[in-house]
Structures are given as structure tokens and as C-alpha cells.
Amino acid sequence: MERYTIQQRVKVIQTYYENGRSNQNAYRALRDFFGQFDRPNVRTIAKIVKKFEQTGSVEDVRTPVHARTARTAENIAAVRDSVAEEPSSSTHRRAQHLHLSRSSLMNIMHKDLHLHAYKDVDDMWFQQDGATCHTANETMALLRNKFNGRVISRYGDANWPPRSCDLTSLDFFLWGYLKEKVYVDKPATIQELKDEIIRHIYGIEPPLCLRVIKNLDHRMEVCRRGRGAHLADILFHT
């Protein structure tokens, strides 16, 4: 929002309330003030309004930047010692560890689905997000073992275009939703971050999931009508 001046943001707030507190109506009404192509889009209008309603101000409050703690002398030394080991044995051990980590994570996830979501996951499909690094052979083998014939992914049972963020609910909804929720209380440690992610994942209600599915159906239809062309971003911010 930094590209808009304080005066412009005040105009956005004023227009929003003058037009029935509707982001879409405000977007249309701001055309005369900003012009056709320089006006803020619906999402930006929503952000400005949300900031104003939460803080009573439209000014940016800069938060201090904390230094990253991962690059410590101890961590650098540990990585250096690991790489300095005999390449073959070190690489083999790391590969084994990675495989065991994937297996453990998959077993935990599968068990968790039984406990918290469904008693039987035999009819459940698993969809990867757009990251191509998630389609390694070992990872895909683990997925097929747990979701035999029901993996939606590049190289999966139902092929899915890589980097298709507009057509993948994880990309166009979940990651942004979680980021907005998780960082409200500014978790200071890895464990606090994990706890916040878990808490907000379990806090997602079924009606919200249904709205995401309906939105995905709409995106699919737009993509089909456009014969695979780029999707107009504004369609999904209204």
C-alpha cells in the first residue's frame, strides 16, 4: 500500500463508506479520482479499510527487522563438518535421514486424518501444491502407498500442471490464509510457529472449505472458457 499517499488512502476510506461499505462499489467509484488504471484494486481497498478499522489510521507502521538467527557460527560449523565427511557415506546418511523423515511425516499425517477428520481415508484424494520439489521419486512412492490411485500431482494418478497457482487451492488460498493468521502473534521460535500453524489448520471450518471449492470450480470454468489462457486476477478479488 506504500504506493498510495495518505490523501489517496483517506479518499479510499471515504469512498468505501459512501458506497455501502462495498469494496466492489468503491472500486468502481474511485475511477474518477484515480483514473482507470491507477486506482487500487478490490483487494488493496479491502486492506486499506481493514487497516483503518483495526488501527484507526491509514499510515504505515514500520516494524523493526529482526536479524536472522539461523546463520550462527555454530550452525555454520555444523554444516561445514557435515560436508567435510566422506562424500559417499555422508550423502548416503543424509538420503536415509530424508527418506525416514518423509516416511514419518506421511505416517503421522495419515494417522492424524483418521483421528481428526475421517475414520476412513480410502476415498480421500491427496493433492500436491505447485512446488516441483515435492515430486521426487521417493516422495511420490510414499504418497502412492498411502493414497493408492488417488494422488493429484505432477507425475501423479491425476496429472496437475506444475506452478498452476491459480488452479491449486493450497496456493491461491491456504498459504496466504495461514500466513495472515499465524503471524498475528509473531511466533518467536520454531516450536511456536509450528503450534500456530497446527492451531489455525484445525480452526478451518467446513463452510470455508466449501467456499474454496466453489471458487476453484469457478476458476476451472474460467480456465476452460479461456482455453488455458492466463486468468484475469480481478475476477477472484470480488
Side-chain angles (χ1 to χ4, degrees):
M1 295 189 299
E2 292 184 1
R3 58 173 292 204
Y4 297 106
T5 66
I6 298 298
Q7 179 185 7
Q8 289 173 328
R9 297 178 201 179
V10 170
K11 181 63 176 179
V12 169
I13 297 297
Q14 179 184 359
T15 305
Y16 170 79
Y17 285 105
E18 289 176 349
N19 287 270
R21 300 192 177 192
S22 166
N23 295 328
Q24 186 62 49
N25 291 343
Y27 172 75
R28 297 191 186 98
L30 288 169
R31 177 175 181 175
D32 293 338
F33 184 81
F34 286 91
Q36 172 68 18
F37 302 106
D38 293 329
R39 56 182 166 167
N41 60 32
V42 174
R43 172 176 285 185
T44 301
I45 293 172
K47 287 182 178 179
I48 294 175
V49 171
K50 181 179 179 181
K51 179 181 181 63
F52 174 74
E53 292 181 341
Q54 289 180 342
T55 67
S57 172
V58 293
E59 293 184 338
D60 290 320
V61 178
R62 297 188 180 278
T63 56
V65 178
H66 298 285
R68 295 184 179 181
T69 57
R71 188 177 172 81
T72 63
E74 292 80 8
N75 287 345
I76 293 173
V79 172
R80 184 185 298 114
D81 292 341
S82 175
V83 175
E85 296 177 8
E86 184 189 356
S88 59
S89 60
S90 177
T91 301
H92 180 65
R93 280 198 297 273
R94 282 197 291 269
Q96 284 183 322
H97 177 72
L98 180 60
H99 180 68
L100 289 173
S101 298
R102 288 169 172 164
S103 299
S104 299
L105 181 61
M106 191 62 60
N107 289 331
I108 292 171
M109 181 196 71
H110 203 258
K111 180 180 179 181
D112 209 41
L113 288 172
H114 279 286
L115 292 176
H116 296 283
Y118 301 91
K119 297 301 181 184
D120 187 357
V121 296
D122 291 340
D123 295 328
M124 181 181 293
W125 285 72
F126 183 92
Q127 179 175 352
Q128 294 272 37
D129 67 357
T132 54
C133 61
H134 294 172
T135 56
N137 291 336
E138 290 182 352
T139 302
M140 296 304 296
L142 290 170
L143 287 172
R144 292 189 183 98
N145 183 47
K146 295 296 183 181
F147 300 91
N148 185 27
R150 293 170 283 113
V151 178
I152 303 173
S153 169
R154 191 184 188 197
Y155 309 129
D157 303 293
N159 199 20
W160 204 258
R163 297 172 291 279
S164 55
C165 55
D166 287 329
L167 300 177
T168 304
S169 55
L170 295 173
D171 288 321
F172 74 73
F173 163 71
L174 184 62
W175 302 143
Y177 174 85
L178 282 180
K179 185 176 181 180
E180 181 179 345
K181 298 289 186 181
V182 165
Y183 286 100
V184 169
D185 295 327
K186 298 181 174 59
T189 66
I190 296 297
Q191 187 57 51
E192 288 180 5
L193 179 62
K194 291 179 179 179
D195 292 341
E196 285 296 295
I197 292 173
I198 292 172
R199 182 167 72 89
H200 290 294
I201 282 286
Y202 286 148
I204 298 177
E205 297 291 339
L208 178 57
C209 294
L210 290 175
R211 291 200 297 272
V212 174
I213 292 172
K214 289 181 179 179
N215 189 271
L216 177 60
D217 288 341
H218 175 49
R219 289 166 180 262
M220 293 290 191
E221 177 60 23
V222 172
C223 183
R224 185 190 66 79
R225 292 200 305 263
R227 297 184 179 182
H230 287 291
L231 305 181
D233 190 56
I234 192 62
L235 287 174
F236 311 112
H237 293 162
T238 57

